[in-house]
Amino acid sequence: MADKHTLSFRTSTSIAPWLGISAIVILFDQITKIAIARMFQFGESLTVTSFFNLVLAHNKGAAFSFLASESGWQRYFFTAIGIAAAVFIVHLLRRNAGQRLFCWALALILGGAIGNVIDRTLYGHVIDFLDFHVGAWHWPAFNVADSAICIGAALFIYDELRRVRK
């Protein structure tokens, strides 16, 4: 009987751990954004290394400032996409809660999406502050939520490639 309980615990289909991971991402994302917003003026930059700066930037668009120069409708559009993605991800977590790597990927993406939705709702833009560069060429600034989404996407791709090989 003890083996049966141990087995069911290990293959738990609860989404609580995955929502917990998402909550940690959201918390870390929001704490870092608040700290940067309090320490920096808009556009202010602090050189950390020869290839990395901290900078306070506002992104009214999506990744790589896509649609950032539009009139404002994009705020609601990207907020709606983020909310729809979050609902769909929770659905996927419920259906696949026992698949660890897949759920790690989804949990990171969920936390990142909600972190950026919070910004769009509260401020009308996403707070970005991580600025990597080579010489004078800078990647678009990003944040913890964006990082979680990218890591989650990479895990998702890795998980899918692993499944195809089986």
Side-chain angles (χ1 to χ4, degrees):
M1 190 63 92
D3 290 335
K4 188 176 184 180
H5 289 294
T6 304
L7 181 61
S8 69
F9 176 75
R10 288 184 183 164
T11 59
S12 172
T13 57
S14 170
I15 67 168
W18 309 121
L19 295 179
I21 291 166
S22 295
I24 290 167
V25 169
I26 294 165
L27 183 64
F28 188 55
D29 176 63
Q30 291 300 303
I31 287 171
T32 56
K33 288 173 178 174
I34 290 167
I36 292 295
R38 288 188 178 174
M39 293 179 354
F40 289 80
Q41 296 294 320
F42 176 74
E44 184 180 358
S45 179
L46 171 68
T47 301
V48 178
T49 69
S50 62
F51 60 88
F52 174 68
N53 301 328
L54 290 173
V55 62
L56 178 56
H58 297 161
N59 183 358
K60 293 183 180 186
F64 304 106
S65 298
F66 176 66
L67 297 177
S69 62
E70 292 296 316
S71 62
W73 62 267
Q74 72 277 21
R75 171 187 183 186
Y76 305 104
F77 177 70
F78 292 127
T79 300
I81 287 175
I83 292 169
V87 169
F88 183 65
I89 289 169
V90 169
H91 168 72
L92 288 175
L93 286 170
R94 281 191 180 125
R95 290 188 62 198
N96 303 286
Q99 297 179 30
R100 292 180 56 130
L101 189 56
F102 181 67
C103 289
W104 262 104
L106 291 176
L108 291 172
I109 294 168
L110 176 63
I114 293 173
N116 284 338
V117 163
I118 290 169
D119 282 16
R120 289 183 201 289
T121 303
L122 293 178
Y123 314 118
H125 57 264
V126 173
I127 297 172
D128 289 330
F129 58 91
L130 301 170
D131 175 31
F132 286 89
H133 59 91
V134 175
W137 188 84
H138 292 254
W139 277 268
F142 58 99
N143 57 45
V144 172
D146 299 334
S147 300
I149 291 168
C150 289
I151 293 167
L155 289 175
F156 179 77
I157 291 167
Y158 174 70
D159 185 53
E160 288 303 312
L161 291 173
R162 231 176 37 146
R163 287 178 210 237
V164 169
R165 288 184 186 150
K166 287 182 179 180

